[in-house]
């Protein structure tokens, strides 16, 4: 019989190594799927390929961490589908050092990707419980991200203007404070529609006003706030 020269693993170590290996493969497959679906930004693919989505997912769903689907994170909210995260991030056309405001911290996954791409990230969440968990993840994984618990429809004027603003919840319209807090040439990415289905608006601030393009067929939880849904 052939003799194995592998060092035997202790029981805990064995489980850990097996799961890391499995998730590595699933993460690679997720990146491949994103490429097949048209995501091209290498820095974005690098960031998503280097961040453990399973760190942002509740224990009960950890085996589905790399599925291309949204998953529950508590408070009736979700971590967005990887393709949606990638599509919205690519639409921002980010450069390292850009200031980016995210509305809807949720699990913190999207903010972590922006930070890994070199952006200075500011993120707002209206549920304190979710923000507390997201902050723990940022600390544990070594991300420096400014965050606050507030109504994100009003933006975060103090640190603006922003090269990019990403709204990760569905709005009835583009909140004026967010449009105001865009730097010249800055881009607001926001799903707008009813509470069932939204169109993604990619709005660029020009010297004369704003221009927008759209992408159809996204579904988000509602943006609740003074300039959102009641
Ligand atoms: N970006 C998140 C992630 O990476 O996990 C997913 C966000 S989830 C789809 C939308 C989030 O927006 C929810 O956590 C929800 O509580 C939050 N939200 C809704 N309205 C908000 C508001 N006015 N201000 C801040 N957060 C809001």
């Amino acid at each position: 019989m052939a003799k194995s020269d592998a060092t035997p693993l202790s029981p805990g170590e064995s489980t850990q190594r097996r799961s890391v290996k499995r998730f590595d493969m699933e993460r690679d497959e997720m990146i491949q799927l994103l490429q097949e679906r048209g995501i091209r930004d290498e820095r974005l693919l690098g960031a998503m390929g280097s961040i453990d989505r399973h760190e942002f997912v509740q224990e009960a769903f950890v085996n589905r961490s790399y599925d291309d689907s949204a998953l529950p994170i508590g408070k009736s909210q979700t971590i967005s589908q990887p393709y949606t995260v990638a599509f919205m991030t690519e639409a921002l056309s980010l450069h390292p050092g850009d200031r980016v405001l995210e509305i809807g911290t949720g699990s913190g996954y999207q903010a972590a990707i922006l930070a890994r791409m070199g952006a200075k990230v500011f993120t707002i969440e209206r549920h304190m419980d979710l923000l507390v968990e997201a902050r723990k993840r940022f600390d544990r994984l070594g991300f420096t991200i400014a965050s606050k618990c507030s109504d994100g429809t009003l933006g975060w004027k103090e640190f603006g203007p922003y090269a990019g603003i990403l709204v990760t919840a569905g709005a009835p319209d583009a909140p004026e404070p967010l449009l105001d807090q865009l730097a010249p040439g800055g881009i607001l990415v926001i799903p707008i529609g009813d509470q069932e289905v939204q169109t993604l608006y990619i709005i660029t601030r020009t010297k004369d006003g704003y221009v927008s393009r759209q992408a159809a067929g996204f579904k988000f939880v509602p943006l609740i706030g003074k300039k959102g849904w009641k």
Side-chain angles (χ1 to χ4, degrees), residues 56 70-71 73-81 85 102-113 123-127 130 137 148-154 166-170 219-229:
F56 296 83
L71 295 169
I73 55 171
K75 296 280 168 195
S76 306
Q77 306 302 320
T78 54
I79 176 173
S80 302
Q81 175 185 356
V85 171
E102 181 200 24
I103 312 303
T105 315
S107 68
Y109 180 64
Q110 170 75 75
I113 288 163
T123 183
I124 306 176
E125 171 55 54
R126 63 185 284 271
H127 285 296
L130 295 181
R137 294 180 183 116
K148 71 170 175 176
C149 186
S150 184
D151 176 2
T153 65
L154 304 176
L166 200 54
V167 180
T168 68
K219 187 168 171 45
F220 287 83
V221 295
L223 181 75
I224 311 281
K226 280 206 177 93
K227 306 285 179 182
W229 297 102

Side-chain angles (χ1 to χ4, degrees), residues 23-165:
F23 285 134
D24 281 354
M25 200 177 78
E26 293 182 354
R27 196 171 41 246
D28 287 351
E29 284 170 3
M30 177 186 83
I31 297 300
Q32 201 181 326
L33 182 87
L34 295 176
Q35 287 173 310
E36 284 164 14
R37 293 196 68 182
I39 302 299
R40 293 283 169 266
D41 183 331
E42 288 296 334
R43 270 187 316 121
L44 166 61
L45 291 166
M48 292 185 75
S50 71
I51 292 178
D52 291 334
R53 191 170 186 255
H54 61 266
E55 295 281 0
F56 296 83
V57 165
Q58 287 184 337
E59 193 53 41
F61 301 101
V62 84
N63 287 336
R64 294 175 53 198
S65 296
Y66 297 94
D67 290 2
D68 194 23
S69 61
L71 295 169
I73 55 171
K75 296 280 168 195
S76 306
Q77 306 302 320
T78 54
I79 176 173
S80 302
Q81 175 185 356
Y83 175 69
T84 301
V85 171
F87 188 93
M88 292 179 83
T89 309
E90 195 167 60
L92 281 178
S93 303
L94 280 186
H95 299 99
D98 279 351
R99 300 165 84 79
V100 179
L101 175 65
E102 181 200 24
I103 312 303
T105 315
S107 68
Y109 180 64
Q110 170 75 75
I113 288 163
L114 295 168
R116 180 61 53 85
M117 290 176 74
K120 293 192 173 75
V121 185
F122 302 83
T123 183
I124 306 176
E125 171 55 54
R126 63 185 284 271
H127 285 296
M128 193 62 202
D129 293 0
L130 295 181
L131 190 58
V132 165
E133 291 307 311
R135 282 175 174 165
K136 282 187 202 159
R137 294 180 183 116
F138 297 153
D139 288 347
R140 194 170 67 238
L141 301 172
F143 289 103
T144 305
I145 290 170
S147 63
K148 71 170 175 176
C149 186
S150 184
D151 176 2
T153 65
L154 304 176
W156 198 346
K157 200 170 173 189
E158 193 184 340
F159 294 108
Y162 301 96
I165 301 180

Side-chain angles (χ1 to χ4, degrees), residues 12 34 117 122 163 187 196 200 215-216 218:
L34 295 176
M117 290 176 74
F122 302 83
I187 298 176
E196 292 308 312
L200 203 62
F218 290 87

